[in-house]
Amino acid sequence: MNLTLYVWRQKDANDKGRMEKYAAKDINEHMSFLEMLDVVNEDLAQQGIEPIAFDHDCREGICGTCSLVVNGRPHGHETGTTVCQLHMRHFKDGDSIYIEPWRAKAFPVVRDLIVDRSAFDRIMQAGGFVSVNTGSAQDANSIPISKEAADTAMDAAACIGCGACVAACPNASAMLFVSAKISQLASLPQGQAERERRARGMIAQMDAEGFGNCTNFYECEAACPKEIPVKFIAKMNREYMRALAKGK
Amino acid sequence: MTLESKVPSGPIADKWDNHRFQMKLVNPANKRKYSAIIVGTGLAGASAAASMAELGYNVKAFCYQDTPRRAHSIAAQGGINAAKNYQNDGDSIYRLFYDTVKGGDFRSREANVYRLAQVSTAIIDQCVAQGVPFAREYGGTLANRSFGGAQVSRTFYARGQTGQQLLLGAYSALCRQIAAGKVAMYPRTEMLDLVVVDNRARGIVVRDMVTGEISSHSADAVILATGGYGNVFYLSTNAKGCNVTAAYRAYKKGAFFANPCFTQIHPTCIPQSGDYQSKLTLMSESLRNDGRIWVPKKKDDNRHPNDIPEEERDYYLERKYPSFGNLAPRDISSRSAKEVVDEGRGIGPTGVGVYLDFRDAINRLGKDAIRDRYGNLFQMYERITGEDPYEVPMRIYPASHYTMGGLWVDYNLESTIPGLFVLGEANFSDHGANRLGASALMQGLADGYFVIPYTIGDYFARAGNSDVDASHKEFANVEKEVEERTRKYLSINGKRTPDSFHRELGKIMWEHCGMNRNEQGLKKALEKIPALREEFWENLLVLGNDKNLNQTLELAGRVADFLEFAEIMIYDALTREESCGAHFREEYQTEEGEAKRDDENFSFVSAWEFTGVGKKPNLHKESLEFENVQLATRSYK
Ligand SMILES: Cc1cc2nc3c(=O)[nH]c(=O)nc-3n(C[C@H](O)[C@H](O)[C@H](O)COP(=O)(O)OP(=O)(O)OC[C@H]3O[C@@H](n4cnc5c(N)ncnc54)[C@H](O)[C@@H]3O)c2cc1C
Ligand code: FES
């Protein structure tokens, strides 16, 4: 199939950026979206045009690196799919496709479709861990954890930190991301000792990074490639209130 | 130079304890006076960085992704082994040790493997304490499964995302140390060379991948945890960024490269669908617990798989290896798949594939039980192929997956360059000629959490602070070389992109140094690789400049290193005139077509020393002694 691409090009963080139009020729339906871009890039290079820069690594939907807004939707229109796992069979000959980077104040563009998501790391550093030094753990089976609690923790822990939730939210809120980590650790006995401190620390950092507030659009859940549910945001709010109540 | 493995004396079960006692310690108040550079923050590097920082050392850590949480370790699906014997099914440290030595086809160092099995149990404890949500039973205890042909259930898992959860655990520990100011983290920063002065590793030269700035970093020790080189085949299950650059640059500076030809080809990957293919996706091996592998008995049988009656199917693994069946080890399963495809019995649109069929398991256990076990894998398969594996058998074929070879290290994980340590997949240490499933995660975390924190202290205590910092002229020299190389890629202005060279190299390696190897093919590769390398330096096309983010430029550097590195793999494969583990030399096989190992002549580790680009490297041998596990022919019949 043949497609027309409109792609965001921006030389660096200081450049204003603009959409450019490119042709994607002879695209096979079994290609992944990123393989389609590889083909286009090879073509551009042969024409002396610098290839489109986009982030990617595992190309199997788990590392959270790929981050394209396709036709206005982070990761494209397929639910529960990262853009590296989106295949061209979902498009048809003659389609126009608009490709843009994540847009959020806290995620400045680095180049073309690549953004800086280091704000997520700083939120993690503000409490997204259990303080346990290597070697000081007890036997792994000494604290039983119900299957339900373990499953809830895993549901939350499945987050790949891609930032699609932020890109999808009209307020550029990072609450789905933050709540997933807070909920994971709050569900487990190991997370109890620092429960309040973690909630307050991570939320304070989230605000400091310039992410917006949640006003219940639920776009984050719809865009999340791992389908992390918004119920974790409610849980996070409870955790926060609990921390405040305890004065910690 | 003789290779000193530094394996401690004494009975195998006491070696590590004795060694830990004999190693020197750094006084707690002095730990903050020592610094280490850790390149790579996957499982091995992140666990090492966090653990060393907790002890009080100052760490600078580097990775090429935008954050440590995205290292390739994240992609591991199946699980992690540990000799906990929670299932009361006969596991023990000794059994895990024995299985690993045997699985590695007797080409690994006994003492290292024993230590790995010993510390395996503490890894699980540590990860659980971090909040890693491993699968649990209703009673609240940890669940286990049998994996990759093991006869006991010793594999711990977190759905199909074990690597992700373990990495996020190590990453969270790393985050804590970054916040504490004990680790300085440099993401999007690529190591492009190692700096050695007076036969001691002193630091590295890196490129900031956003600004293009080249800079130097010095420390009292350098630790590489940069992962494997499976992308030498271009198509592999590795992430696109996986590369050999850090390890290869260290090799060029004097670190020996061990067993480069030991590369694992994983039997269950989704077959290639066309020339544009950029990577291959692994379907977890756990699928082989319930799926049955078959091809039609007839050649070129184009019928729909569901129309091929039972008696016309060849369940070739069950036929050839009745006691292990579909769970036969990776190397054996992979080769058997190639065999049936070469006979013309392959399936799918390209004829390069075999079926992995869940029909019987679904009939036996029901669709829901299968969805419970493999739901996310089935979904992933459907997403990629557009086919529903509940209705139609999966198509699979082997692909490059893991590299057992790596930089040579002694028992302390120190390379042949003093002060340069190597962890995780980047070293050669524990898996011999073939790695067992769920053992790479175990090894990476063993190295990072429980080995290097001890051995690095001993090194610091013995060697003291490095008296050379980044102002030394050697740093400036290396920076200059790196800058010149970078500019060279940009100035050639030819017609072919780095990706196109990489693809061609991958084809050469897959054809001549892939699942089967023979002298003639290997020699052909030794002609093709230098020719391709020559063309690379004349006809490379890299647009843009070196002062900003330039992905083609990054790739050019990695491909340039692969183009040189590939040759040592070939020399290694040529020299090893036997078949063992994943290394199958067609000349050395039994009448039934099984691998024929030659313990008399090849019971050694090959450690290659750089002598110049395009020149045959020098071979050094570390002979392997088996005092505890009796050398035996692997048999999975
Ligand atoms: C699809 C897949 C599934 C797997 N499943 C399993 C499994 O179920 N069980 C199991 O035990 N094993 C499994 N493995 C193997 C296992 O995941 C890896 O061997 C292991 O995770 C490697 O960890 P590592 O820390 O050594 O390297 P990696 O995780 O690859 O990390 C390498 C690090 O080095 C950095 N780096 C590399 N080069 C440079 C450079 N030049 N400059 C700066 N930084 C650099 C990277 O940024 C990264 O941080 C699987 C592998 C694959 C591919
Ligand atoms: S590239 Fe890893 S999730 Fe898409």
Side-chain angles (χ1 to χ4, degrees):
Chain A
M1 62 182 113
N2 294 312
L3 308 159
T4 307
L5 307 185
Y6 295 88
V7 183
W8 183 258
R9 302 300 308 254
Q10 182 175 337
K11 239 177 76 193
D12 53 34
N14 301 321
D15 185 21
K16 262 182 60 196
R18 74 226 157 263
M19 295 300 272
E20 293 275 355
K21 181 176 163 184
Y22 302 117
K25 284 171 265 174
D26 297 329
I27 300 303
N28 178 307
E29 58 163 4
H30 293 300
M31 286 179 185
S32 71
F33 197 83
L34 302 189
E35 283 168 346
M36 180 275 291
L37 284 180
D38 290 343
V39 170
V40 171
N41 270 344
E42 181 69 38
D43 212 43
L44 291 180
Q46 296 308 332
Q47 300 171 44
I49 301 171
E50 261 194 86
I52 304 157
F54 61 93
D55 251 337
H56 65 98
D57 204 18
C58 74
R59 293 199 175 192
E60 53 185 72
I62 191 71
C63 73
T65 312
C66 61
S67 41
L68 305 179
V69 175
V70 178
N71 291 338
R73 307 277 294 263
H75 292 303
H77 55 283
E78 286 290 298
T79 52
T81 304
T82 54
V83 70
C84 61
Q85 291 281 285
L86 176 65
H87 281 71
M88 295 313 291
R89 66 181 74 90
H90 300 294
F91 296 87
K92 46 183 201 310
D93 189 40
D95 276 358
S96 291
I97 307 178
Y98 291 79
I99 310 172
E100 292 169 88
W102 281 181
R103 303 267 187 208
K105 189 170 120 217
F107 288 164
V109 172
V110 175
R111 174 159 206 182
D112 295 347
L113 303 167
I114 298 180
V115 298
D116 177 353
R117 287 170 284 187
S118 56
F120 273 10
D121 287 312
R122 291 187 291 274
I123 294 173
M124 278 294 291
Q125 289 156 21
F129 45 77
V130 174
S131 297
V132 52
N133 283 355
T134 303
S136 53
Q138 65 279 72
D139 183 84
N141 254 351
S142 61
I143 307 174
I145 300 177
S146 72
K147 188 170 184 306
E148 291 78 13
D151 284 348
T152 305
M154 184 62 222
D155 290 342
C159 167
I160 59 174
C162 64
C165 46
V166 176
C169 175
N171 307 329
S173 165
M175 287 210 182
L176 194 61
F177 168 78
V178 179
S179 70
K181 188 46 76 179
I182 288 178
S183 302
Q184 175 201 343
L185 295 176
S187 310
L188 298 169
Q190 288 80 5
Q192 299 311 308
E194 296 164 293
R195 189 166 167 182
E196 294 82 15
R197 213 159 70 120
R198 174 178 311 112
R200 294 193 64 166
M202 292 182 78
I203 291 170
Q205 189 63 35
M206 171 181 88
D207 293 340
E209 295 290 348
F211 290 105
N213 253 313
C214 171
T215 50
N216 303 326
F217 281 100
Y218 299 158
E219 291 292 340
C220 52
E221 180 182 287
C224 176
K226 297 296 143 182
E227 303 181 294
I228 310 267
V230 287
K231 70 170 188 208
F232 290 127
I233 297 184
K235 177 153 177 77
M236 175 175 88
N237 289 334
R238 286 197 301 277
E239 289 295 312
Y240 189 63
M241 294 317 286
R242 187 172 181 275
L244 288 184
K246 288 202 163 186
K248 288 196 193 168
Chain B
M1 174 165 182
T2 51
L3 288 168
E4 271 186 68
S5 67
K6 303 213 177 119
V7 170
S9 55
I12 191 129
D14 300 336
K15 283 181 196 289
W16 180 231
D17 280 352
N18 291 344
H19 193 59
R20 282 200 293 176
F21 179 68
Q22 274 149 11
M23 279 189 288
K24 289 199 165 174
L25 298 173
V26 177
N27 170 318
N30 283 339
K31 289 204 172 84
R32 64 185 166 76
K33 294 181 186 153
Y34 288 96
S35 62
I37 283 170
I38 300 183
V39 189
T41 45
L43 281 180
S47 58
S51 307
M52 284 171 55
E54 287 162 9
L55 287 170
Y57 300 117
N58 298 307
V59 177
K60 278 184 175 185
F62 299 81
C63 72
Y64 72 74
Q65 291 91 350
D66 63 332
T67 152
R69 67 176 291 149
R70 309 203 200 285
H72 174 57
S73 294
I74 201 105
Q77 302 167 349
I80 175 166
N81 287 331
K84 282 284 198 186
N85 193 32
Y86 282 158
Q87 305 309 321
N88 199 29
D89 59 356
D91 200 12
S92 63
I93 289 172
Y94 203 88
R95 186 176 297 281
L96 176 54
F97 156 68
Y98 176 90
D99 287 355
T100 307
V101 171
K102 180 181 171 218
D105 217 0
F106 303 92
R107 291 294 172 265
S108 50
R109 203 188 275 148
E110 274 192 345
N112 283 59
V113 178
Y114 195 87
R115 175 178 63 191
L116 175 66
Q118 268 176 316
V119 304
S120 66
T121 57
I123 295 172
I124 302 304
D125 301 342
Q126 186 63 32
C127 296
V128 166
Q130 290 168 345
V132 169
F134 284 121
R136 302 241 164 201
E137 305 291 351
Y138 281 103
T141 55
L142 288 152
N144 290 114
R145 60 181 170 211
S146 147
F147 194 72
Q151 308 280 58
V152 291
S153 290
R154 61 159 76 100
T155 303
F156 295 79
Y157 61 99
R159 293 204 188 131
Q161 292 121 279
T162 316
Q164 179 198 27
Q165 295 310 314
L166 296 176
L167 182 64
L168 293 181
Y171 160 73
S172 70
L174 178 63
C175 283
R176 176 172 161 239
Q177 294 307 314
I178 296 171
K182 293 303 288 181
V183 176
M185 185 69 220
Y186 297 82
R188 287 208 203 269
T189 308
E190 186 164 22
M191 166 183 164
L192 292 181
D193 221 330
L194 178 75
V195 180
V196 181
V197 178
D198 299 332
N199 195 34
R200 174 171 174 178
R202 308 290 184 160
I204 57 173
V205 169
V206 300
R207 178 170 183 274
D208 180 320
M209 294 158 73
V210 177
T211 64
E213 190 197 348
I214 309 275
S215 66
S216 292
H217 296 266
S218 63
D220 299 315
V222 177
I223 297 170
L224 300 186
T226 46
Y229 52 86
N231 276 349
V232 70
F233 293 104
Y234 187 78
L235 286 179
S236 86
T237 62
N238 289 10
K240 289 297 286 175
C242 292
N243 66 89
V244 77
T245 290
Y248 185 71
R249 291 280 144 198
Y251 162 78
K252 282 182 100 170
K253 289 283 158 79
F256 292 2
F257 212 108
N259 299 334
C261 82
F262 289 166
T263 52
Q264 183 166 77
I265 311 297
H266 196 291
T268 54
C269 306
I270 301 178
Q272 181 175 359
S273 66
D275 285 337
Y276 48 81
Q277 190 97 22
S278 61
K279 78 154 284 158
L280 294 169
T281 302
L282 177 77
M283 286 283 100
S284 169
E285 183 155 44
S286 59
L287 292 169
R288 292 203 276 149
N289 287 337
D290 288 303
R292 296 179 70 194
I293 296 176
W294 64 277
V295 288
K297 284 188 175 156
K298 272 202 315 239
K299 273 189 196 180
D300 305 318
D301 190 335
N302 291 328
R303 283 176 293 176
H304 188 278
N306 294 347
D307 297 337
I308 301 180
E310 195 61 19
E311 55 296 350
E312 293 179 46
R313 299 174 173 201
D314 179 13
Y315 294 91
Y316 56 88
L317 285 176
E318 296 172 20
R319 171 171 57 79
K320 281 164 50 182
Y321 307 100
S323 69
F324 278 72
N326 295 300
L327 292 173
R330 291 179 176 178
D331 51 337
I332 291 177
S333 311
S334 292
R335 263 197 315 276
S336 304
K338 179 171 162 38
E339 242 171 64
V340 293
V341 164
D342 289 349
E343 285 165 22
R345 297 195 287 144
I347 55 88
T350 58
V352 184
V354 300
Y355 290 123
L356 176 61
D357 197 339
F358 291 86
R359 183 193 62 185
D360 296 351
I362 291 172
N363 288 342
R364 194 175 67 241
L365 305 163
K367 220 171 172 173
D368 287 343
I370 294 297
R371 183 172 294 121
D372 242 21
R373 280 182 204 174
Y374 309 112
N376 61 336
L377 295 168
F378 276 39
Q379 222 179 13
M380 178 151 132
Y381 180 85
E382 183 167 7
R383 203 169 282 145
I384 294 174
T385 61
E387 291 169 5
D388 176 5
Y390 294 101
E391 303 298 331
V392 190
M394 282 186 180
R395 293 175 290 111
I396 55 164
Y397 198 64
S400 158
H401 175 60
Y402 180 86
T403 54
M404 281 73 69
L407 290 174
W408 185 89
V409 288
D410 64 16
Y411 189 71
N412 296 322
L413 305 182
E414 191 173 7
S415 72
T416 51
I417 300 176
L420 178 71
F421 293 77
V422 191
L423 319 179
E425 192 172 339
N427 73 25
F428 89 108
S429 67
D430 298 347
H431 308 292
N434 177 50
R435 175 176 70 79
L436 293 182
S439 285
L441 301 180
M442 168 172 74
Q443 183 228 330
L445 290 180
D447 289 359
Y449 284 135
F450 296 111
V451 180
I452 194 72
Y454 294 90
T455 60
I456 199 79
D458 182 59
Y459 174 76
F460 287 147
R462 283 169 199 282
N465 285 111
S466 168
D467 50 358
V468 161
D469 66 16
S471 64
H472 189 277
K473 66 173 189 314
E474 183 59 12
F475 278 92
N477 292 344
V478 175
E479 275 189 30
K480 203 165 144 241
E481 280 167 30
V482 168
E483 268 162 19
E484 275 165 13
R485 208 160 56 227
T486 311
R487 245 173 275 136
K488 174 87 191 180
Y489 302 131
L490 287 160
S491 67
I492 299 169
N493 236 326
K495 293 203 163 54
R496 289 182 67 181
T497 57
D499 200 60
S500 112
F501 285 103
H502 194 180
R503 276 176 204 270
E504 188 173 340
L505 175 68
K507 278 202 187 119
I508 298 174
M509 296 308 283
W510 184 246
E511 186 176 344
H512 300 302
C513 201
M515 273 185 278
N516 289 12
R517 295 133 184 212
N518 62 53
E519 185 178 342
Q520 209 191 354
L522 290 165
K523 288 195 163 149
K524 213 175 272 163
L526 271 188
E527 291 166 14
K528 288 183 185 170
I529 298 166
L532 186 64
R533 196 164 57 225
E534 206 169 301
E535 192 196 335
F536 176 88
W537 288 109
E538 282 162 8
N539 198 19
L540 178 69
L541 173 63
V542 180
L543 296 169
N545 68 60
D546 60 346
K547 293 289 175 272
N548 60 10
L549 193 144
N550 187 338
Q551 293 175 311
T552 320
L553 182 64
E554 291 157 19
L555 190 60
R558 294 175 195 156
V559 175
D561 289 333
F562 274 131
L563 279 166
E564 291 181 14
F565 168 74
E567 243 173 59
I568 10 171
M569 264 178 81
I570 305 284
Y571 281 117
D572 192 41
L574 254 181
T575 314
R576 191 164 282 280
E577 296 177 324
E578 65 162 347
S579 293
C580 62
H583 171 64
F584 191 79
R585 278 284 299 265
E586 286 166 355
E587 301 94 321
Y588 307 99
Q589 52 179 309
T590 64
E591 272 163 29
E592 297 106 51
E594 299 297 330
K596 208 157 118 193
R597 221 174 57 219
D598 178 354
D599 293 325
E600 208 159 305
N601 297 304
F602 288 94
S603 189
F604 60 78
V605 175
S606 304
W608 296 94
E609 179 187 13
F610 179 69
T611 55
V613 176
K615 293 210 181 96
K616 184 172 179 193
N618 281 338
L619 175 62
H620 300 259
K621 297 176 186 175
E622 178 198 338
S623 79
L624 293 167
E625 315 296 337
F626 293 91
E627 290 165 355
N628 297 278
V629 182
Q630 243 195 338
L631 281 164
T633 307
R634 282 194 315 167
S635 169
Y636 294 92
K637 291 256 167 198

